Amino acid sequence: MAEIGKTVLDSGWLAARSTEVHLSGTQLTTTHSPSGLDKPWMEAAVPGTVLGTLVKNKAVPDPFYGLENEAIIDIADSGREYYTFWFFTTFQCKLSANQHLDLNFRGINYSAEVYLNGNKKILPKGMFRRHSLDVTDILHPDGQNLLAVLVHPPDHPGTIPPEGGQGGDHEIGKDVATQYVEGWDWMAPIRDRNTGIWDEVSISITGPVKIIDPHLVSTFFDGYKRVYLHTTTELENKSSSVVECDLNIQVTSELEGGVCIV
Amino acid sequence: EHLQTQHLSIPSGKRVQHTFPQLFFYKPNLWWPNGMGKQALYHVTITVDVKGHGESDSWSHMYGFRKIESYIDSATGGRLFKVNGQPIFIRGGNWILSDGLLRLSKKRYKTDIKFHADMNFNMIRCWGGGLAERPEFYHYCDIYGLLVWQEFWITGDVDGRGVPVSNPNGPLDHDLFMLCARDTVKLLRNHPSLALWVGGNEQVPPPDINNALKDELKLHPHFESLHNTGKTVQELS
């Protein structure tokens, strides 16, 4: 039985500009997966942004040195396609009976299409939202899974006025995304507006029941002598039958020197 | 006494919400901001075992017992903070983000946040034009005792007070803004360092967003019941 828990996917990623890849996501994750660093594919920084990956591969100068940022084409001039990128990786996973697998993205800027073993799923717009896809039914029988993610920039990347200014032409404010990326008095514009898989990617294996977003709240009485911990959690039964389960909560405190009391 | 098991059955394909009976602690070690005491953290683990299958999922989090209150002082118009009933003089720093290209790392967060603690700060304000900071940021604020003032994604310059005046009604999709705000609150709400949610920087969000944020960030009705026992609001975190 595969061990339950989370595995972060933060290595072995490749990236390529979408306009230089003439394959579909289905082909990339079935018959024509990239085999390595053959052009236009390059080593990708995930989590990270398109520009982070381009800087890592020295495909552009480091924007934080001198006036190098001026040498990087801005998305307003290049168009959104220029910074629309494919990200590709593989992962090994073989489930046992009654186990489920979620593919989790903790932050995508700004929207994306996910292809896993030839199956397409959509990650809707919004930079500050998590995405969790139940991919149990589309895993590869032999355990070797191919994952491709096509990431699109914000809808309104805006144009930087010649005089710069706080937030450029403010177009980025039409989206739900970080606003400094059009430049501020302390910061030059970020050329790709931070497009990318900017936060953690993980896969999590569970049994039939999944714990979702517990909420911990404490209440205090009698001058903090009498304290209560209130815990609420969501639970999802992913199986096709009623399940009987035991839900356990345990609180331990670490005393000095690593001694624990339960 | 800090171990509890609840038995429940969940219909197929359903998503349910379950609240444990409250756990009682006598004089627990409290979490204090930098300079006021220790940042005592407890390890909370939740597991679910399914009959005929075994352990199905588990979740854990470092949790600190603390009560944070803040209100506008009528005399000065400034916001006063109290932690565990003790007034605290806020020494805060502005925070935009760790790296302009979002090359975020635990190591960098730990270094940056410990630096703030070493500078004798006790609060970090996350500016609305940056990020809703990440769990790793909050983890080190929990450890080093930095309270966090977290703004949502509205700034005066871009939303209605800049030059040129633009987006007076904020982002185009208010439902998307609220969806992102709700998910962000769920991601960060269990961190003891989280002290204050703020609508935006130098600007009040559009009325529908601002009212929804204020309404949904109120104390959960579950705790209203405690009011009926004559407990004042002072006694709720």
Side-chain angles (χ1 to χ4, degrees), chain A:
Chain A
M1 173 167 346
E3 192 179 338
I4 68 164
K6 178 176 92 170
T7 304
V8 174
L9 303 183
D10 59 0
S11 61
W13 285 86
L14 301 174
R17 178 165 283 120
S18 60
T19 52
E20 297 168 9
V21 174
H22 306 297
L23 294 163
S24 68
T26 302
Q27 289 171 312
L28 287 173
T29 56
T30 50
T31 52
H32 293 73
S33 58
S35 54
L37 301 179
D38 310 321
K39 276 194 178 305
W41 294 94
M42 65 187 89
E43 188 187 351
V46 173
T49 65
V50 167
L51 197 51
T53 283
L54 293 173
V55 170
K56 177 188 173 84
N57 288 277
K58 299 187 178 9
V60 295
D62 188 325
F64 293 168
Y65 282 90
L67 292 177
E68 297 287 27
N69 197 44
E70 297 305 305
I72 305 171
I73 188 168
D74 190 86
I75 191 170
D77 305 315
S78 67
R80 292 177 67 249
E81 307 68 40
Y82 188 77
Y83 285 112
T84 300
F85 262 61
W86 280 107
F87 291 87
F88 178 87
T89 192
T90 65
F91 63 87
Q92 185 71 28
C93 178
K94 242 167 124 70
L95 297 179
S96 315
N98 267 338
Q99 284 192 324
H100 296 259
L101 185 84
D102 279 352
L103 173 59
N104 311 301
F105 295 88
R106 215 169 65 176
I108 290 278
N109 191 25
Y110 186 66
S111 63
E113 296 155 41
V114 171
Y115 293 83
L116 181 62
N117 303 325
N119 301 272
K120 177 179 178 180
K121 301 231 180 198
I122 295 293
L123 301 186
K125 297 173 182 176
M127 179 175 177
F128 298 108
R129 64 189 288 179
R130 296 168 290 172
H131 306 271
S132 188
L133 305 171
D134 187 332
V135 295
T136 310
D137 300 336
I138 54 177
L139 291 176
H140 212 281
D142 69 6
Q144 181 66 6
N145 297 283
L146 307 178
L147 170 63
V149 186
L150 181 62
V151 185
H152 300 275
D155 291 348
H156 301 86
T159 301
I160 315 305
E163 69 279 10
Q166 314 278 70
D169 64 0
H170 306 157
E171 278 298 286
I172 195 74
K174 290 180 167 53
D175 297 335
V176 183
T178 180
Q179 295 186 354
Y180 79 91
V181 292
E182 278 208 60
W184 224 267
D185 50 0
W186 43 267
M187 170 58 111
I190 306 292
R191 295 304 185 199
D192 69 342
R193 307 294 186 266
N194 281 340
T195 300
I197 305 175
W198 70 279
D199 199 359
E200 185 184 274
V201 185
S202 64
I203 52 175
S204 39
I205 296 176
T206 67
V209 175
K210 175 184 174 185
I211 295 171
I212 302 167
D213 287 335
H215 187 195
L216 308 175
V217 180
S218 36
T219 51
F220 304 86
F221 302 90
D222 304 342
Y224 301 89
K225 289 194 188 67
R226 186 159 51 95
V227 175
Y228 295 98
L229 176 63
H230 309 260
T231 305
T232 299
T233 184
E234 290 196 44
L235 297 158
E236 181 180 9
N237 174 5
K238 292 167 162 268
S239 74
S240 53
S241 53
V242 176
V243 291
E244 301 297 326
C245 45
D246 284 337
L247 192 58
N248 315 294
I249 182 170
Q250 179 170 340
V251 183
T252 57
S253 78
E254 201 130 283
L255 292 183
E256 306 300 331
V259 173
C260 267
I261 55 172
V262 174

Side-chain angles (χ1 to χ4, degrees), chain B:
Chain B
E1 73 275 20
H2 300 147
L3 176 61
Q4 198 178 80
T5 296
Q6 297 262 286
H7 179 83
L8 62 157
S9 67
I10 307 177
S12 115
K14 283 285 180 271
R15 193 161 164 162
V16 300
Q17 196 172 75
H18 181 82
T19 296
F20 284 93
Q22 57 198 26
L23 276 178
F24 169 64
F25 290 76
Y26 177 67
K27 290 177 76 174
N29 300 319
L30 298 179
W31 185 91
W32 292 93
N34 182 34
M36 284 181 86
K38 288 189 179 231
Q39 290 75 43
L41 292 170
Y42 286 76
H43 198 254
V44 179
T45 305
I46 298 174
T47 58
V48 57
D49 299 319
V50 170
K51 198 170 170 184
H53 178 85
E55 185 167 285
S56 179
D57 199 3
S58 73
W59 175 89
S60 65
H61 192 79
M62 298 307 287
Y63 182 73
F65 289 102
R66 86 311 182 236
K67 180 170 76 175
I68 297 175
E69 301 155 87
S70 74
Y71 52 93
I72 300 296
D73 173 46
S74 52
T76 64
R79 182 172 284 272
L80 294 184
F81 286 82
K82 277 186 179 179
V83 179
N84 301 330
Q86 302 301 319
I88 173 174
F89 181 78
I90 294 296
R91 299 181 300 281
N94 267 321
W95 175 275
I96 289 155
L97 74 177
S98 191
D99 175 80
L101 301 190
L102 303 188
R103 293 167 293 196
L104 310 174
S105 73
K106 288 189 178 93
K107 188 163 178 278
R108 176 86 186 259
Y109 277 135
K110 176 175 178 156
T111 307
D112 284 344
I113 289 159
K114 186 177 184 307
F115 178 49
H116 281 74
D118 293 346
M119 290 189 287
N120 200 20
F121 281 2
N122 54 29
M123 179 175 276
I124 293 182
R125 171 253 180 150
C126 294
W127 173 63
L131 301 176
E133 265 304 345
R134 300 292 90 191
E136 292 74 19
F137 172 92
Y138 280 86
H139 172 70
Y140 288 110
C141 287
D142 296 343
I143 287 180
Y144 291 115
L146 273 302
L147 297 166
V148 182
W149 159 314
Q150 174 67 64
E151 295 177 7
F152 287 106
W153 320 291
I154 294 280
T155 65
D157 288 289
V158 171
D159 298 293
R161 295 177 60 189
V163 175
V165 172
S166 38
N167 309 316
N169 199 32
L172 297 179
D173 187 337
H174 289 194
D175 293 337
L176 176 59
F177 186 101
M178 283 311 298
L179 185 151
C180 288
R182 283 188 199 104
D183 197 60
T184 297
V185 168
K186 285 187 174 181
L187 177 68
L188 302 174
R189 63 187 172 183
N190 293 322
H191 287 278
S193 53
L194 174 60
L196 190 67
W197 291 105
V198 180
N201 160 65
E202 296 169 354
Q203 178 61 295
V204 178
D208 60 321
I209 288 180
N210 202 41
N211 294 336
L213 287 174
K214 286 163 85 169
D215 184 55
E216 297 191 24
L217 285 167
K218 263 196 319 248
L219 190 62
H220 191 279
H222 168 72
F223 300 100
E224 297 307 335
S225 60
L226 293 175
H227 281 212
N228 306 331
T229 58
K231 303 293 173 197
T232 64
V233 72
Q234 293 299 323
E235 294 172 323
L236 292 175
S237 71

